Amino acid sequence: MKTFLRAFALILLSTALPAVAVVMPMRIPFQGKLIDPVTNNPKNGPFAMVFKIWDAPVGGNQLFSEPQTITVFNGVFSVQIGTINYLSADMLSGTSAYLGVTVGADAEMAPRQ
């Protein structure tokens, strides 16, 4: 009888506790290719990159920024934006968003994506 009462009590407690919502971090997958503008050869190695999200294709307000060091092989790289800095859906709701990419000390690539 004690076992039944304990099981019944556990069932009651588990239904009385509020549900816990799990919020998964938002990430944006992005791939690109780096080509040396002088030799037209693909680049290789680690590169410091900064990914910024803007509310306009030119100028505008910066909504998000994240620096990452990305390994490039035969010019190709793949990154998950939002792995270092928190990226929320609220930042992007109700507005257009444009991705700006900066490699090393170069200016931001144009046009924004």
Side-chain angles (χ1 to χ4, degrees):
M1 185 70 168
K2 286 183 181 181
T3 306
F4 173 75
L5 289 176
R6 285 184 188 161
F8 185 70
L10 286 173
I11 291 170
L12 284 177
L13 281 174
S14 66
T15 59
L17 295 174
V20 177
V22 176
V23 178
M24 297 299 292
M26 187 173 148
R27 295 190 175 147
I28 300 172
F30 182 74
Q31 292 181 327
K33 189 165 188 175
L34 291 180
I35 303 292
D36 187 308
V38 176
T39 65
N40 212 27
N41 291 328
K43 293 191 173 196
N44 288 291
F47 289 88
M49 297 185 188
V50 179
F51 302 93
K52 294 180 182 178
I53 297 178
W54 300 85
D55 65 358
V58 176
N61 299 305
Q62 181 181 311
L63 305 173
F64 174 83
S65 179
E66 179 175 74
Q68 290 193 32
T69 299
I70 308 298
T71 301
V72 178
F73 179 72
N74 202 22
V76 178
F77 68 91
S78 181
V79 64
Q80 292 283 326
I81 300 168
T83 57
I84 295 174
N85 293 335
Y86 182 73
L87 179 63
S88 72
D90 295 340
M91 288 182 209
L92 306 175
S93 64
T95 184
S96 296
Y98 301 87
L99 176 65
V101 180
T102 304
V103 179
D106 292 348
E108 183 179 88
M109 293 182 190
R112 291 178 182 156
Q113 303 297 307

